[in-house]
Amino acid sequence: MVALELALVGAYLVLALAVGLVAFRLTDATAEDYYLASRSLGTVVLLFTTFATLLSAFTFFGGPTLTYANGPEWTLVMGLMDGVLFAVLWYVVGYKQWLLGRSEGYVTLGEMLGDRFGSTGLRVLVAGVSLFWLLPYVMLQQRGAGQAVVGLTDGAVPYWVGAGGITLFMIAYVVASGLRGVAWTDTLQGVFMLVFIWGAVAWVLAAVGGPTAATEALADSNPEFLALGGGLYTPQYIVGTAVYIAFGVTMFPQINQRFFAADSEATLKRAFSLWPVLVVLLFVPAFMLGTWAAGLGVAVPEGGNVVPAVLREFTPAWFAALVVAGALAAMMSSSDSMLLSGSSYFTRDVYAPLAGEADREALLGRAVVVGFAVAAFGLSLTATQGIVQIGNTAFGGFAQLALPVIAALYWPRTTRTGMLAAVGGSQAFYLGNLAAVVAGPFESMGAVGAAYYLGWHPGIPGMVLSLLLVVGVSAVTNPSPDENAGAYFGGQRAD
Amino acid sequence: MISRAERYGWVLALATLVAFAVPWFLWGDSRTALGLPLWLWWHAGWMGLAAVVFRLFAVRAWDDGVQGVA
């Protein structure tokens, strides 16, 4: 049975690699093509690559397991976060960045800010902060992949082989084909995930007599799950989680860089209005499957995940294997993009300003992808609790960048000193809170929030602080002579 | 360009979409319909409405507030 499951997962991986290689044939040697597919992504590809990149392991593993234990309200958190708030930010941050990227040729966030504020320091700081949160997050994806393979094969394939195999595989197609290959495989993976999560729900519901029967079983076992709110789900939790993750997502390098990669305004408009629909289509089935499993008496092993458990109970082994392949797809489609963006941040915003422009940037970029992937894999083998916590809290770390960036995009009075103070100050604040978790007194950031911030996740007061700092410090400082507000406020036009 | 009144209208519409993505008025309500909690149906419908409003915004008011801010 293990052989069949591995064959299915392997066949899927080969298919994704083939797509990457076709894209490679279309790739030329410039950095802009490697990182941004020459700003040529159309609606379907841009939508799915952003979507698949967002999803990560949480859709199949973390999310349903949370709703299994706490009820389905996470669907609302997701809808508010990715369906509405992210869509609005897609316009406010993404469209604005796309316009600037087209007129000024920016490839990374650090480049965009460094140019406007005439500051190499700000450029390196933004890239450094981003890489600090990104690397452990990539590591978590590899860990998830390794654990999924162990679970699928009942331990016949050891953890390091699973995580290492996925790492090698991603290196192969990211190195070969850059964003074009990543975007195409993401589209394949996104479609794959949607089809399989609906297939899984349909299969399980057919086996237990339909949604009404499943919900009645849940009403007997966990009636509190059906009532909106309660337990984990306080208003602060729902709103705070949605807000800090939505803002954090826009600053995640692989998402932020997508803002530069659209081929036209029409593409951005179409993707904008399709967000809420896509979010409902994916998360309602994924999270209800987890919730229903609680009513169906599915047992989840300590530290395990509910989706593999419920599939093992109600569907044939080959189907469960396909869904695990879908979950691996979700992890890879996040990690591959993160590797690529991490490479561009390092190459352009850390290496180039400090060591000089690389002669062959696209080649150096590929070498950095390999280095980054191997480093994250190494971390995944040795990860301490501290590293895991940094990865788990990365969204909040990125969220601290969002409001200063929005100020820079829309408020001409923003100064370099204001930006440095806001980025540095809010990161220090957030890291201070994280230190309280890593060092031991608190078990999670949520617990810190409950103790000090009226139940709000520390990411929220951090964002407020970043806004106060960028506005306050900018108001009392003057722009430096080498700042270039004209780069943003010169009245650029889209054609 | 859209009129100032329409601009305020869009800000209000987007703010309303954000505010009621979670049906706060059903807080604590556990009624179900067709196998799903009532509040989840509200949410799914609201997301559909959001897609329509976003589409209208993209057609009518796109560029407003983003282009030529100075």
Side-chain angles (χ1 to χ4, degrees):
Chain A
M1 223 42 221
V2 168
L4 169 72
E5 289 159 355
L6 278 179
L8 283 170
V9 172
Y12 172 75
L13 294 181
V14 170
L15 179 65
L17 186 60
V19 170
L21 292 179
V22 172
F24 171 58
R25 294 171 51 111
L26 296 174
T27 302
D28 63 40
T30 66
E32 194 171 28
D33 194 68
Y34 186 60
Y35 293 130
L36 296 182
S38 298
R39 305 179 199 267
S40 70
L41 301 185
T43 306
V44 173
V45 173
L46 181 73
L47 189 65
F48 270 97
T49 186
T50 309
F51 195 59
T53 300
L54 270 180
L55 299 181
S56 73
F58 188 74
T59 315
F60 280 84
F61 290 153
T65 305
L66 250 169
T67 62
Y68 169 83
N70 298 287
E73 285 90 333
W74 246 94
T75 321
L76 301 179
V77 178
M78 270 296 176
L80 177 58
M81 171 205 307
D82 280 347
V84 185
L85 285 174
F86 181 71
V88 171
L89 291 169
W90 174 269
Y91 178 69
V92 171
V93 180
Y95 178 48
K96 183 78 178 174
Q97 277 193 216
W98 179 79
L99 288 169
L100 292 172
R102 270 206 350 166
S103 71
E104 309 292 322
Y106 303 132
V107 173
T108 65
L109 177 67
E111 213 168 308
M112 185 183 88
L113 296 171
D115 183 51
R116 152 74 177 83
F117 293 100
S119 171
T120 304
L122 181 61
R123 182 173 179 176
V124 175
L125 176 66
V126 167
V129 164
S130 302
L131 291 169
F132 172 81
W133 296 109
L134 189 66
L135 185 67
Y137 195 78
V138 172
M139 180 278 289
L140 285 186
Q141 302 293 313
Q142 282 158 320
R143 241 166 76 106
Q147 287 162 347
V149 171
V150 170
L152 180 68
T153 60
D154 274 330
V157 176
Y159 167 78
W160 70 270
V161 175
I166 298 283
T167 305
L168 275 181
F169 182 80
M170 283 193 304
I171 289 175
Y173 72 81
V174 177
V175 164
S177 54
L179 182 64
R180 192 174 282 109
V182 166
W184 289 9
T185 51
D186 280 358
T187 304
L188 174 77
Q189 287 163 339
V191 171
F192 195 83
M193 281 185 270
L194 267 177
V195 168
F196 280 98
I197 199 69
W198 278 98
V201 168
W203 202 307
V204 171
L205 287 180
V208 303
T212 308
T215 298
E216 276 166 13
L218 186 67
D220 289 337
S221 69
N222 300 79
E224 72 283 7
F225 282 9
L226 294 172
L228 176 55
L232 172 69
Y233 300 112
T234 61
Q236 291 97 316
Y237 179 85
I238 293 176
V239 173
T241 307
V243 167
Y244 87 80
I245 297 185
F247 281 83
V249 161
T250 63
M251 295 295 128
F252 244 100
Q254 77 280 13
I255 302 292
N256 191 274
Q257 207 160 33
R258 293 286 190 284
F259 296 151
F260 294 126
D263 65 350
S264 69
E265 207 176 315
T267 290
L268 287 168
K269 287 183 185 178
R270 277 193 291 264
F272 167 71
S273 52
L274 287 170
W275 271 110
V277 176
L278 211 48
V279 168
V280 164
L281 282 179
L282 191 72
F283 290 106
V284 169
F287 289 178
M288 283 311 296
L289 184 62
T291 312
W292 277 322
L296 298 171
V298 173
V300 176
E302 177 71 31
N305 288 297
V306 68
V307 166
V310 72
L311 293 177
R312 212 170 295 130
E313 199 153 325
F314 292 99
T315 71
W318 63 267
F319 186 79
L322 276 177
V323 175
V324 172
L328 290 177
M331 293 173 206
M332 286 194 302
S333 60
S334 306
S335 304
D336 57 10
S337 313
M338 291 188 248
L339 290 177
L340 189 64
S341 300
S343 161
S344 71
Y345 276 43
F346 180 83
T347 311
R348 299 180 75 93
D349 298 341
V350 180
Y351 180 88
L354 301 181
E357 292 291 334
D359 293 341
R360 298 180 63 192
E361 194 191 324
L363 188 67
L364 175 66
R366 287 172 164 87
V368 174
V369 166
V370 177
F372 202 87
V374 171
F377 173 59
L379 274 182
S380 80
L381 295 178
T382 57
T384 58
Q385 206 43 43
I387 305 274
V388 172
Q389 282 294 354
I390 295 173
N392 280 334
T393 50
F395 282 99
F398 282 112
Q400 309 306 311
L401 293 172
L403 295 177
V405 169
I406 293 173
L409 289 172
Y410 286 95
W411 190 43
R413 276 283 294 126
T414 311
T415 67
R416 178 202 296 172
T417 319
M419 289 297 287
L420 288 168
V423 171
S426 59
Q427 290 294 328
F429 171 83
Y430 191 70
L431 283 170
N433 283 279
L434 180 57
V437 177
V438 173
F442 292 95
E443 69 169 24
S444 69
M445 289 296 251
V448 178
Y452 293 123
Y453 310 116
L454 307 172
W456 297 90
H457 185 281
I460 300 293
M463 288 173 69
V464 173
L465 176 67
S466 74
L467 183 64
L468 291 177
L469 284 172
V470 73
V471 172
V473 176
S474 292
V476 299
T477 53
N478 290 317
S480 308
D482 44 354
E483 286 188 31
N484 174 23
Y488 290 9
F489 303 102
Q492 75 279 3
R493 282 291 322 171
D495 314 308
Chain B
M1 281 299 277
I2 56 172
S3 68
R4 179 177 294 195
E6 184 174 346
R7 175 178 303 171
Y8 290 132
W10 281 115
V11 171
L12 186 68
L14 295 179
T16 308
L17 283 179
V18 171
F20 292 102
V22 176
W24 302 106
F25 54 89
L26 290 175
W27 195 260
D29 188 303
S30 59
R31 281 174 292 171
T32 62
L34 302 173
L36 291 177
L38 205 56
W39 54 260
L40 193 54
W41 284 112
W42 165 278
H43 179 71
W46 194 256
M47 291 288 116
L49 176 69
V52 172
V53 173
F54 287 163
R55 185 68 215 155
L56 279 176
F57 176 85
V59 169
R60 282 196 55 89
W62 190 267
D63 273 346
D64 195 60
V66 170
Q67 290 271 6
V69 175

